[in-house]
Amino acid sequence: MAGSTPRIPDATVARLPLYRRALLELDEQTTANVSSERLAEMAGVNAAKVRKDLSYLGSYGTRGVGYDVEFLLFHVSRALGLTSDWPVVIVGMGNLGQALANYRGFTERGFPVAALVDVDPAKVGSEIDGRLVDHLDDLDRLVAERGIAIAIIATPAAVAQEVAERVVEAGVQSVLNFAPTVVTLPDGVPVRKVDLATELQILSFYQQRRASTSGADH
Amino acid sequence: MAGSTPRIPDATVARLPLYRRALLELDEQTTANVSSERLAEMAGVNAAKVRKDLSYLGSYGTRGVGYDVEFLLFHVSRALGLTSDWPVVIVGMGNLGQALANYRGFTERGFPVAALVDVDPAKVGSEIDGRLVDHLDDLDRLVAERGIAIAIIATPAAVAQEVAERVVEAGVQSVLNFAPTVVTLPDGVPVRKVDLATELQILSFYQQRRASTSGADH
DNA sequence: TAGATTGTTAATCGATTAACAATC
DNA sequence: TAGATTGTTAATCGATTAACAATC
């Protein structure tokens, strides 16, 4: 159909949060205007990329002047769907799940931790960071009552796939997978994967390459 | 010079840990051989990509047969520089730093947490998960004595850049940045950035897009 | 020999970047 | 009008993928 918004490239989507954070910082400093050059510097990318990325959202800058910080912040936030909070549930209260439950950053940045669940009777009913741990079997109710949109999977790898399918059945719309295994979901349910050890392994590669290329001395 | 190994593309490097994990799983099941097809399924990518990626490491498969699991595991591990452990230091014992300090996954997967540091007198000298918190000023000694190769930055955004420069001066060779700000380092010191809230924001985008494209009903 | 599966080629696709006309 | 900076074009670069010859 005519007039539909052009699809925003994945690479651009992944950078929008960088621009948003830079804009939030500028907004706090009550900076009214910002150039693509300055925004690029703050986000650690180059200015041509900033302009191209932002152009996918619309034409929100002024030639010769730059971008109005508040105006652009609103449009970047809106593009990301961050005009309202998205309650999350953390599934799996093992080591990593507890660590994530204690992390304040989710709630602070618009993703309130609305529920914690596990299946272990020793954990269900206990409190973590002042929050009650519910049983996975209560998920349907929790999702419905608390408007939970996103599940953070922090279970062992062996059950991650099963749990992911279950949270989607319960009505969760997106999944962030911390379990060290690949999870595949039906339809177009967005899944992202974060693996802390993987990040370290990639660092290890580049560190080694650097060591081997830059002189084999000592 | 002649005979130098071809450069492994960044996209391939990022997938090597996926293949490695699949191979570890196969190895535990004492599976002797694996096809690119099966490896692709386990890693959640397609078979052509697996073969192309692995071909950058060398020619370690057998036509008509597949890849020897143990042999390939060794070569993938070696390519990633994972033939020995890499001790890490976590800098910043705030909310996120404590969560990471309590996470067992680093140590379990070849990145032993060898030191925790902060600058807050209330934290220095205390124990987290049975480990003593040292002062940032002791970093030079800690890095030297414990062979620390990688720093995990979990400080507030405002000091992340300063701290990153300091850990590099202390002899750390790579940085994993959890602070919600961009850090730039000199030379070719590898830096990777993990931002949990960013991952959620990207999910939010795709969730919203899906909601708007798949019928505007209800 | 027949079947299976790699390693590599080449086509395609998507992302990056420099350059510059448009325009404030 | 002169200077500044966007938004867009087009060239380049890197990643993905299908196809298939090589070869077990």
Side-chain angles (χ1 to χ4, degrees):
Chain A
M1 73 193 75
S4 69
T5 317
R7 186 189 170 83
I8 301 178
D10 291 344
T12 295
V13 173
R15 283 188 294 267
L16 291 180
L18 298 179
Y19 303 146
R20 185 165 179 272
R21 191 191 329 283
L23 290 165
L24 281 169
E25 200 179 312
L26 291 165
D27 198 39
E28 270 169 30
Q29 300 162 3
T30 59
T31 307
N33 253 273
V34 65
S35 65
S36 58
E37 196 70 52
R38 175 90 183 97
L39 209 44
E41 190 194 343
M42 292 179 80
V45 302
N46 82 31
K49 200 180 269 178
V50 169
R51 290 198 297 277
K52 188 124 231 298
D53 285 341
L54 295 179
S55 75
Y56 290 111
L57 308 187
S59 195
Y60 299 131
T62 308
R63 287 166 208 244
V65 178
Y67 300 88
D68 180 281
V69 170
E70 254 188 275
F71 186 67
L72 185 59
L73 177 56
F74 168 75
H75 283 289
V76 171
S77 298
R78 201 183 51 148
L80 282 168
L82 301 177
T83 48
S84 63
D85 281 3
W86 297 102
V88 305
V89 56
I90 304 178
V91 184
M93 286 296 114
N95 196 263
L96 178 59
Q98 288 184 37
L100 295 173
N102 279 293
Y103 175 54
R104 301 281 190 288
F106 295 134
T107 297
E108 277 168 10
R109 302 223 249 134
F111 300 90
V113 177
L116 306 176
V117 308
D118 204 302
V119 292
D120 180 354
K123 281 168 188 148
V124 174
S126 71
E127 284 198 354
I128 292 175
D129 200 30
R131 265 185 278 257
L132 185 69
V133 178
D134 286 294
H135 195 281
L136 182 61
D137 289 344
D138 286 333
L139 200 65
D140 289 51
R141 180 180 60 77
L142 293 166
V143 168
E145 284 182 5
R146 305 183 187 175
I148 290 171
I150 299 175
I152 296 177
I153 311 271
T155 65
V159 298
Q161 176 64 40
E162 181 192 349
V163 165
E165 289 167 11
R166 195 147 169 192
V167 300
V168 171
E169 272 169 43
V172 161
Q173 296 162 74
S174 305
V175 169
L176 181 57
N177 176 28
F178 277 88
T181 188
V182 172
V183 154
T184 52
L185 285 175
D187 323 293
V189 181
V191 185
R192 288 187 71 83
K193 182 158 160 45
V194 174
D195 188 332
L196 305 180
T198 289
E199 292 297 324
L200 290 175
Q201 289 174 16
I202 296 172
L203 273 178
S204 164
F205 174 88
Y206 288 108
Q207 180 173 311
Q208 175 183 248
R209 172 191 280 171
R210 183 168 152 67
S212 67
T213 52
S214 71
D217 40 37
H218 90 261
Chain B
M1 72 194 74
S4 70
T5 316
R7 186 190 171 82
I8 301 178
D10 291 345
T12 295
V13 173
R15 283 187 295 265
L16 291 180
L18 299 179
Y19 304 145
R20 184 164 180 272
R21 193 192 325 286
L23 290 165
L24 281 169
E25 201 179 312
L26 291 165
D27 198 39
E28 270 170 29
Q29 300 163 2
T30 59
T31 306
N33 252 271
V34 66
S35 66
S36 59
E37 196 70 51
R38 175 88 183 97
L39 208 45
E41 191 195 343
M42 293 178 79
V45 302
N46 81 31
K49 202 179 267 180
V50 169
R51 290 198 296 276
K52 188 126 232 298
D53 284 342
L54 295 180
S55 75
Y56 291 111
L57 307 187
S59 196
Y60 298 131
T62 307
R63 287 165 208 246
V65 178
Y67 301 88
D68 179 281
V69 170
E70 254 188 274
F71 185 65
L72 185 59
L73 177 56
F74 169 75
H75 283 290
V76 170
S77 297
R78 202 183 50 148
L80 282 168
L82 301 178
T83 48
S84 64
D85 281 3
W86 296 102
V88 306
V89 56
I90 304 178
V91 185
M93 287 296 114
N95 196 262
L96 178 60
Q98 288 184 37
L100 295 173
N102 280 291
Y103 175 53
R104 302 280 191 285
F106 295 134
T107 298
E108 276 167 12
R109 302 223 249 135
F111 299 91
V113 177
L116 306 176
V117 309
D118 204 300
V119 292
D120 180 354
K123 281 170 188 146
V124 174
S126 70
E127 283 198 355
I128 292 175
D129 199 31
R131 266 185 278 257
L132 186 69
V133 177
D134 285 293
H135 195 281
L136 182 60
D137 289 343
D138 286 334
L139 201 66
D140 288 52
R141 180 180 59 78
L142 292 166
V143 168
E145 285 181 5
R146 306 183 187 175
I148 290 171
I150 300 175
I152 296 177
I153 311 271
T155 65
V159 298
Q161 176 64 41
E162 182 192 347
V163 165
E165 289 167 11
R166 195 147 169 192
V167 301
V168 171
E169 273 169 44
V172 161
Q173 296 160 74
S174 304
V175 169
L176 182 57
N177 176 28
F178 277 87
T181 189
V182 172
V183 153
T184 53
L185 285 175
D187 324 291
V189 181
V191 185
R192 287 186 73 83
K193 182 157 158 47
V194 174
D195 189 332
L196 305 179
T198 289
E199 293 298 324
L200 289 175
Q201 289 174 15
I202 296 171
L203 272 178
S204 164
F205 175 89
Y206 287 109
Q207 179 172 312
Q208 176 183 248
R209 172 190 281 172
R210 182 167 152 69
S212 66
T213 52
S214 70
D217 40 37
H218 91 261

